[in-house]
Amino acid sequence: MSEIMSYVPAESFLHRLPVLLKIAAIVGVVAASVLTHSVAVLGAMVLLIGIAAGAAGLHRDLVRQIPLLLFLGVALLLLTVVTMQSGETLFHLIPYGIVSSAGAIPVTSGAVNFAAVLSLRFFAMLFVFQLLIMSTRPTELTNALMTLRMPIDYVLMFVIALRFIPSLQLEGQRIHEAQLARGYNPGKGMLGKIRSLRPLLVPLVSNSLSKTRVLGLTIDMRGYRTRVR
Amino acid sequence: MYGDPRRSLRITRSAQVIALIAIGSWFSITIPFLPVPFTLQTLFVLLAGALLKRYAVLPVGLYILLGTLGLPLFHHGLAGPGILLGPTGGYIAGFLGAAAVVGIAYEQTSPLLRGAGMTCGALLILAAGSLWLMASSPGLTLAGAFVIGFLPFLPGDILKAAAAYTIAGRLA
């Protein structure tokens, strides 16, 4: 959350791999995780990714993601348990005799299995992408995209957007603090969080609009043209 | 002296929109018992339509593509095709349609049409999201998806559409 595109400079075997190979590996992992429905295969894949991350010394950032992922996994589990009934009933969420004599909301093995597959699939994809981002310099990534024949306009958009995100985040913080310094009190909790947005959005958007105007004109003045063939 | 300043402005503005949507997606509030968080993405997607008119589809499409490719642009700083296939994927796909609808509406100058475009865009996101929610979670009925994927977000999204309309009016 604090840093986007958090490239971690280091010397590891993951950093030295060619970018195109890494992209190909990711496509492989994604395809495999979408196609398989077995918990064991997915679990092994997550484990392998974890081992690769550990060997490259990048495991710390992956570990940081785990609480959020666990939370998502539990949410998925709840959703599937409530909405899906297949396989044998393991136990009831609301035990016997409270609502009805037979218990309510049965937890079935099919639902648990399905939720496990979904969450593991999710883990594998997220981890593998994160490893790519952490072990690849942004310029290398852009060059790889250019070799894959992405149009130059879109690659430029991508690079500028990447540059914009942290500065926009900083600017938002600055405007927020400026409003607080003027005595604005948004209050606490979720409502306060929502309310604090109101004096923030217009300056943020209009500031960044003028900044993009300057940047666009600068790009043009420095000779950004369609290539004449 | 000039090449095509509109083109380079389009590029930088699209980049700005991508960045804004990404910032908005980090501002996510998870509501207990709902698989879908409340985020500011919608606001910026609608605003993108107002800022870029018909070209709004470009940055939103690129945003989805980049998020799918693994930049942490989606809600809570998540990424990857897993999100698109997960319960919230429909909302993200709906951004594309919403940006198109709002962009086309903002080609017109009538405030009525523009407001209607905003509302339609917001509703389109919710509709696409709940439909996909129904399709991706087996056993969930249309009514159930409507109750957990549409109704709780309706007031917030109407509010966001109104905010986007006001902000766009102040920027113009």
Side-chain angles (χ1 to χ4, degrees):
Chain A
M1 192 102 152
S2 56
E3 272 178 26
I4 187 158
M5 258 323 253
S6 43
Y7 167 68
V8 182
E11 279 293 314
S12 74
F13 76 97
L14 275 180
H15 285 73
R16 277 194 295 272
L17 278 181
V19 184
L20 285 177
L21 189 69
K22 278 190 266 193
I23 293 178
I26 283 175
V27 172
V29 168
V30 169
S33 54
V34 170
L35 290 177
T36 181
H37 284 283
S38 113
V39 176
V41 173
L42 282 167
M45 212 146 68
V46 172
L47 203 66
L48 270 180
I49 295 168
I51 291 172
L58 294 172
H59 53 280
R60 205 169 302 139
D61 293 79
L62 292 193
V63 170
R64 241 193 349 211
Q65 295 268 340
I66 286 181
L68 176 68
L69 287 177
L70 280 183
F71 174 76
L72 274 173
V74 170
L76 267 176
L77 187 67
L78 274 179
L79 185 74
T80 42
V81 160
V82 172
T83 57
M84 185 174 159
Q85 256 107 48
S86 72
E88 56 199 88
T89 304
L90 300 177
F91 59 92
H92 290 83
L93 213 56
I94 299 169
Y96 302 97
I98 292 182
V99 181
S100 65
S101 59
I105 315 182
V107 177
T108 54
S109 60
V112 171
N113 196 27
F114 189 71
V117 167
L118 274 186
S119 343
L120 280 174
R121 190 178 282 171
F122 200 72
F123 279 34
M125 289 188 196
L126 198 68
F127 282 170
V128 82
F129 275 114
Q130 202 165 8
L131 278 184
L132 170 78
I133 299 295
M134 282 195 299
S135 66
T136 316
R137 216 182 289 272
T139 46
E140 282 175 345
L141 199 62
T142 326
N143 282 341
L145 288 179
M146 296 265 291
T147 16
L148 289 176
R149 306 209 168 238
M150 291 270 287
I152 177 72
D153 275 19
Y154 296 98
V155 176
L156 198 61
M157 259 181 219
F158 164 70
V159 180
I160 296 174
L162 228 54
R163 183 64 204 82
F164 260 148
I165 291 171
S167 58
L168 267 182
Q169 204 180 10
L170 209 69
E171 181 141 3
Q173 255 161 25
R174 203 170 294 153
I175 295 170
H176 182 62
E177 277 162 18
Q179 304 286 20
L180 289 183
R182 290 178 187 132
Y184 182 70
N185 182 13
K188 287 209 168 69
M190 207 158 92
L191 264 181
K193 211 175 160 189
I194 293 173
R195 211 172 295 143
S196 71
L197 286 171
R198 213 168 53 120
L200 202 151
L201 283 175
V202 173
L204 184 67
V205 175
S206 66
N207 271 2
S208 66
L209 253 182
S210 60
K211 221 181 273 175
T212 49
R213 228 181 101 71
V214 172
L215 187 62
L217 291 177
T218 314
I219 290 177
D220 186 64
M221 291 302 279
R222 294 196 179 170
Y224 184 73
R225 303 281 188 275
T226 318
R227 197 181 296 152
V228 182
R229 275 164 238 219
Chain B
M1 191 160 96
Y2 287 112
D4 187 0
R6 269 175 306 170
R7 177 178 171 211
S8 34
L9 275 178
R10 208 148 63 218
I11 292 175
T12 48
R13 229 169 235 195
S14 308
Q16 175 207 9
V17 164
I18 297 174
L20 278 176
I21 302 176
I23 297 279
S25 65
W26 292 343
F27 186 92
S28 316
I29 300 171
T30 311
I31 303 156
F33 303 114
L34 286 181
V36 185
F38 172 91
T39 77
L40 271 187
Q41 283 164 304
T42 341
L43 172 66
F44 288 119
V45 168
L46 297 176
L47 208 54
L51 288 179
L52 279 159
K53 310 259 169 14
R54 79 177 82 168
Y55 296 105
V57 185
L58 283 182
V60 176
L62 198 63
Y63 164 79
I64 297 174
L65 182 74
L66 290 177
T68 317
L69 284 177
L71 293 180
L73 298 182
F74 293 154
H75 56 93
H76 292 116
L78 294 171
I83 304 281
L84 273 187
L85 298 175
T88 56
Y91 296 93
I92 293 169
F95 291 166
L96 208 57
V101 167
V102 177
I104 289 167
Y106 265 71
E107 299 260 301
Q108 264 66 47
T109 43
S110 129
L112 191 70
L113 270 178
R114 290 184 164 191
M118 279 290 181
T119 322
C120 283
L123 291 181
L124 192 71
I125 295 176
L126 286 180
S130 348
L131 279 181
W132 175 250
L133 197 63
M134 181 189 74
S136 68
S137 16
L140 196 64
T141 57
L142 186 59
F146 186 74
V147 166
I148 61 172
F150 197 103
L151 283 185
F153 298 99
L154 195 58
D157 273 29
I158 292 296
L159 201 68
K160 278 186 268 184
Y165 182 76
T166 327
I167 293 174
R170 282 182 66 171
L171 292 178

